[in-house]
Each structure stands twice: as C-alpha cells, then as structure tokens.
C-alpha cells in the first residue's frame, strides 16, 4: 500500500495546529472566567518576582493604613473634645468677669452654669473609643477621673471651712494652688503614663498623647468645682465681701491658665491630625498604585481575549 508522504505531513501539521488551538482556546476561556492571566504565581513567569513584591508591599501598607486610620479617628476626637473643653473655659471666664463688672454677683446663676459644665467636662475627660480612654496616655484601660465625688467633697469642705473661719482666705487660695491629682480624684497613674503613638511605616511613629492632668482639663475641673460652691459670706460668716472677690479672682486665674493650656494642647493635636490625614491619604494612593501594577500584570484585557477567541 502506498502512502502519500505529503498528505501525511499535512495531516500531522493540522493535528498539531488543532492541538495548539485547543490549548490556546482553553487558556483564553480560563482567563475569561477568573479574569486572571494565570492560575497561580508560577504562571507570572518573569513578572513573578515583581508581582510578589507588589503584593507584599500592598499588604504591609494596608496594615499601616488600618493603624493610621484608627489613630487618625482618635486624634480627631481629641481635637473635638479639647475644643469643647476650651469653650467651657471661655464660658466660665465670661460669666465670672461679667458678674464682677456688674458688682452684684448672682451666685445662683454662676453655680448653676458651673454645675452643668462641670458634668460635661468630666464626661469629656473620661471619653473613650472602644474602651480606650483618650486622655489617659498609655493607660488606655483606666479613666482619668477615678471618682468625681472626691473633688466635690474636698472643695465643699474647704469652702465651708473658709466661710466659718476655720481657714483664712490665704489658706484657701493656697490649698487651691497646691491641689493635685489626689485632691481632684484623678488617676495617680497619669503622672507616669507613657505616650500614645501610631506607626506610619517601619521607621516613623507619631506621638499624639494628651493627658488630662497636663492639657488644662485638671485646672478647668478645679475652677468649675469651686464655681459650683460660690456663696457670698453672710451674717455670721468670717470672710468679708472683699475676700469673696479674692476667691472669684482666683477661680478666674485658674480658669485662664486652663484655657491657655487647652488652646496650646489643641494646637499640637490639630497639627498631629493634619499630619495623620496626609499620611493616610499617601498610604491610600500608594496602595492604589500597587494594586494597579498587580492588576496590569495579572488581569487580561478582556476585549483582547475575546478578539483572539474569534480569530482562532
């Protein structure tokens, strides 16, 4: 039997071509399903190393971004709460100065406003996010104010002792000047609390600590507490009207210092918030660039794949 060599060669070539077409078709159809050029990293060929590095960098940046986003939210809350505290200080100062200018102090109005603002301030001082107290430094699990009744009891006792003559005006003012964390019922651990930081990247951290005993809140709490007890000396009381105004002047002095500290602390926090927001934006942009790079290496052009299928 005679076999046409030319025909046999052509048949084998066609079979080989059909096999190649089937392989190409299967690969193109596979690309359409998951919309990936290759099934695994090994298929990336010469691009495998760059793709793997891009994935590692992207995932690391996502971890930093999560940390930065969480920290940025806390910084913004610090900023908001410090602003609220400063507004309380301005309200107290405005009220007291207005009363002094008029010369006839309406202690009922002053004490009523101070009582409401004191409760508001103490809520701010003990504010927390997901159980992490904002103004406790590294002691995030412990509220800055341990007992709100401590300060109230101490101020009440000292003011009544002053009215009765058990202590002089100079002694009362000295007590207020020297009152510290224990007197105010604050957490003693505030004095040794460490910083609160967020990590931007492998080598850069941002300190955004704001402690309740250092940012003006402690002073404002004291001024408000004394304001809640303001009572002009009456019949049988030892202090004079002039000495009463000395006490009011001391409250104004303490509140003024509180406002100075609050504005200063808020300025620092606002700067930290701006820096954190910029870093958050930078991480988001870098992640976007890396994801685009990965997609360009891994994802096929679906229009191109469809055209290739049609031409097979």
């Amino acid at each position: 039997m005679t076999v046409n060599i030319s025909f046999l060669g052509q048949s084998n070539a066609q079979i080989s071509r059909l096999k190649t077409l089937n392989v190409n078709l299967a690969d193109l159809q596979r690309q359409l399903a998951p919309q990936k050029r290759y099934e695994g990293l090994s298929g990336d060929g010469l691009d495998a190393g760059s793709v793997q590095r891009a994935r590692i960098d992207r995932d690391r940046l996502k971890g930093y971004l999560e940390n930065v986003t969480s920290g940025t939210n806390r910084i913004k809350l610090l900023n908001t709460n410090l602003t609220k505290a400063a507004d309380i200080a301005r309200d107290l100062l405005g009220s007291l100065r207005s009363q002094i200018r008029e010369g006839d102090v309406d202690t009922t109005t002053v004490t009523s406003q101070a009582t409401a603002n004191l409760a508001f301030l103490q809520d701010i001082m003990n504010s927390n996010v997901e159980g992490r107290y904002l103004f406790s430094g590294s002691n995030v699990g412990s509220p800055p104010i341990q007992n709100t009744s401590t300060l109230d009891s101490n101020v009440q006792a000292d003011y009544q002792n002053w009215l009765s003559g058990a202590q002089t005006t100079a002694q009362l003012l000295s007590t207020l000047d020297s009152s510290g964390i224990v007197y105010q019922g604050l957490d003693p651990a505030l004095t040794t609390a460490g910083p609160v930081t967020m990590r931007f990247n492998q080598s850069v951290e941002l300190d955004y600590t704001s402690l309740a005993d250092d940012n003006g809140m402690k002073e404002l709490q004291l001024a408000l507490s004394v304001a809640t007890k303001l009572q002009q000396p009456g019949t049988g009381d030892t202090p004079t009207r002039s000495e009463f105004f000395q006490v009011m002047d001391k409250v104004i002095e303490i509140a003024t210092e509180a406002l100075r500290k609050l504005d200063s602390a808020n300025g620092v926090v606002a700067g930290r918030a701006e820096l954190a927001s910029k870093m958050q934006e930078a991480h988001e942009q870098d992640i976007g660039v890396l994801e685009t790079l990965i997609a360009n290496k891994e994802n096929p052009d679906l229009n191109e794949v469809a055209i290739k299928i049609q031409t097979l």
Side-chain angles (χ1 to χ4, degrees):
M1 178 178 180
T2 303
V3 178
N4 189 323
I5 301 300
S6 175
F7 174 77
L8 181 61
Q10 290 176 359
S11 297
N12 288 337
Q14 288 177 346
I15 291 171
S16 177
R17 183 172 180 275
L18 285 173
K19 287 182 178 180
T20 300
L21 288 173
N22 285 335
V23 170
N24 290 340
L25 178 60
D27 182 59
L28 291 169
Q29 289 175 331
R30 180 198 55 76
Q31 292 183 42
L32 285 175
Q35 298 185 9
K36 295 293 181 183
R37 291 182 189 274
Y38 312 107
E39 292 190 60
L41 187 62
S42 61
D44 289 339
L46 296 176
D47 293 328
S50 62
V51 170
Q52 182 68 357
R53 284 192 298 273
R55 285 175 175 172
I56 292 172
D57 290 342
R58 178 199 61 190
D59 292 344
R60 183 176 64 249
L61 282 175
K62 283 185 175 181
Y64 287 134
L65 178 60
E66 182 178 351
N67 184 45
V68 170
T69 301
S70 177
T72 299
N73 290 336
R74 289 195 293 272
I75 293 177
K76 288 179 179 178
L77 285 173
L78 286 174
N79 187 202
T80 298
N81 286 333
L82 286 167
T83 299
K84 290 178 180 177
D87 288 343
I88 291 173
R90 290 186 177 89
D91 183 64
L92 175 63
L93 287 168
S95 175
L96 293 177
R97 287 167 176 162
S98 175
Q99 295 286 338
I100 290 177
R101 281 196 302 270
E102 293 175 4
D104 185 16
V105 179
D106 180 2
T107 55
T108 300
T109 298
V110 171
T111 57
S112 177
Q113 291 176 346
T115 299
N117 280 334
L118 177 59
F120 184 26
L121 174 67
Q122 290 172 335
D123 283 343
I124 291 173
M125 293 173 71
N126 275 358
S127 58
N128 71 85
V129 178
E130 298 178 347
R132 295 169 59 91
Y133 290 94
L134 294 175
F135 297 104
S136 292
S138 59
N139 300 323
V140 294
S142 181
I145 303 176
Q146 297 288 297
N147 191 337
T148 56
S149 65
T150 299
L151 176 61
D152 182 73
S153 298
N154 287 334
V155 172
Q156 175 70 20
D158 284 327
Y159 200 87
Q160 290 302 315
N161 285 338
W162 173 69
L163 288 174
S164 69
Q167 66 174 332
T168 65
T169 299
Q171 288 173 327
L172 174 61
L173 301 185
S174 177
T175 296
L176 296 179
D177 282 334
S178 62
S179 66
I181 285 180
V182 175
Y183 185 92
Q184 291 206 33
L186 300 179
D187 183 5
L190 285 170
T191 58
T192 57
V196 180
T197 63
M198 78 167 75
R199 182 172 289 279
F200 282 153
N201 52 44
Q202 192 171 358
S203 57
V204 179
E205 283 187 339
L206 177 68
D207 183 339
Y208 61 96
T209 310
S210 186
L211 293 165
D213 70 326
D214 187 53
N215 59 15
M217 289 182 171
K218 175 169 67 70
E219 289 80 3
L220 181 55
Q221 183 184 221
L222 177 63
L224 286 166
S225 185
V226 177
T228 66
K229 309 302 178 188
L230 284 178
Q231 175 185 340
Q232 295 196 53
T235 304
D237 292 329
T238 301
T240 64
R241 179 175 172 80
S242 175
E243 289 174 309
F244 170 74
F245 279 101
Q246 289 182 48
V247 174
M248 285 195 67
D249 286 341
K250 174 57 67 175
V251 175
I252 290 175
E253 177 187 319
I254 296 170
T256 299
E257 176 63 8
L259 180 57
R260 183 193 68 78
K261 285 188 172 184
L262 284 164
D263 283 342
S264 176
N266 206 12
V268 173
V269 168
R272 299 289 193 272
E274 182 178 0
L275 181 58
S277 293
K278 289 181 179 178
M279 186 56 68
Q280 181 179 353
E281 182 179 349
H283 280 338
E284 290 170 345
Q285 291 176 349
D286 289 344
I287 289 171
V289 169
L290 289 169
E291 288 184 334
T292 298
L293 185 153
I294 294 169
N296 288 340
K297 297 291 185 181
E298 294 186 335
N299 299 344
D301 184 328
L302 298 183
N303 291 329
E304 181 182 342
V305 171
I307 292 172
K308 286 181 178 179
I309 290 176
Q310 291 172 358
T311 59
L312 289 176

